Amino acid sequence: MEGLLERDLVVVTGKGGVGKTTLAASLALLASERGARTIVVEVGDQRRVPELFGVAPDGEPGAEVELAERLWATTIDPDRVLLEWVQELGGRIPGKVLAGSSTFQYFAAAAPGAKELFAMVKVWELTQGKRWKRRARGYDLVILDAPATGHALGLLRSPQTFGAIARVGPVAAQADRVQDLLGDRRRSAHVAVSHASEMAVSEAIELDGALREALGRGLDAVLVNAVLPRRFSAQEMARIAKLDGADGSRSGGRRTARSDRELLRAAAHAAHSVHERARLQQNQVARLRRHELEVVSVPFLWGAALDRAALARLAGQLDPRV
Ligand SMILES: Nc1ncnc2c1ncn2[C@@H]1O[C@H](COP(=O)(O)OP(=O)(O)OP(=O)(O)O)[C@@H](O)[C@H]1O
Ligand SMILES: [Mg+2]
């Protein structure tokens, strides 16, 4: 999927826990290293990206935190964004009073898609070279670390959901701008992160269909994360299976010690199970390809918690493909 990072916005979503934040951060690191002023946007009260870069995520909620050269992170919390918006309409009513008021609660409940739309307007704003706040400089690339599929669809469909209520006026105009950005393949990209598992792949395929319906376009790529390497060929596996079955096997004319034989058998089993898991993963990758989805495989990284060095390794894996 070449040119993925040359658009204004990349939306990253997928099943819960599959590595969306990790790969959103890796893509952002890669883009910043290629020279683009890049910001990763987390949704809700998440602040995992600064943590991955070893940067304390201090500052007020929604602050833009510098992580590295040309690389920033921020968060957009739909609840807070809606509150700010209503506050603006309501003049000087303090946020705390408003948040607790039944009118606001009523509005929030009665306006489906409102908070999601206002959150997406904030994302749209970040993609604009000219920022509303005059001091701030714009970004070349915004990477949205969207929530898991269902909630992400709530964000991506919000121009339609809320637009159905407000057909005219300034909100409708904003909804149109968001919809245009999300539907325009030259300006935005939609990426699913998936594990090579049946459920995650099914979710990515469903997401592709839902995007086509909501935005008139499908996924640009599926990043299949944590893929196991295929260490052995089929011929090698056949040979390993023979080792496993070695009953009273001899080596160099001498009976192998029983413990060695058990060890050999356990090693052969382990090799077999890793091989089998890798094979099942490849079946799932094949399912994605049958749906004509562009697949980029990302290897499983062994070792302790993922840090900046690990993100750089993942960025290196993604580099030739995006
Ligand atoms: N390629 C990889 N190799 C090894 N571990 C990985 C890899 N990618 C992600 N992980 C680990 O998997 C876990 C989940 O990753 P991450 O938090 O990025 O997922 P997520 O999809 O953003 O989750 P959530 O749905 O909770 O937001 C983390 O512990 C992360 O370190
Ligand atoms: Mg995440």
Side-chain angles (χ1 to χ4, degrees), residues 40 70 103 112 160 210 239-240 288:
V40 189
R70 294 185 294 274
T103 316
Q160 285 179 333
R239 282 167 60 197
I240 289 171
L288 289 168

Side-chain angles (χ1 to χ4, degrees), residues 64-128:
E64 290 163 29
V65 182
E66 191 165 0
L67 305 178
E69 199 181 348
R70 294 185 294 274
L71 182 57
W72 284 261
T74 189
T75 79
I76 294 178
D77 181 349
D79 289 316
R80 191 162 37 82
V81 174
L82 179 63
L83 186 63
E84 280 168 14
W85 188 80
V86 175
Q87 229 177 330
E88 223 157 86
L89 285 184
R92 293 176 183 278
I93 310 169
K96 263 194 198 144
V97 175
L98 188 60
S101 82
S102 55
T103 316
F104 176 70
Q105 304 295 349
Y106 177 79
F107 178 78
K115 61 183 183 180
E116 289 82 1
L117 176 62
F118 294 130
M120 288 310 295
V121 169
K122 287 250 167 183
V123 172
W124 174 88
E125 184 217 335
L126 286 171
T127 67
Q128 299 302 297

Side-chain angles (χ1 to χ4, degrees), residues 15-23 46 48 145 148 225-226 298-302 305-306 314:
K15 191 169 161 18
V18 293
K20 296 180 295 297
T21 302
T22 305
L23 295 188
Q46 300 276 336
R48 288 223 32 241
D145 173 20
N225 191 23
V298 180
F300 182 84
L301 289 192
W302 303 92
L306 294 192
L314 294 175

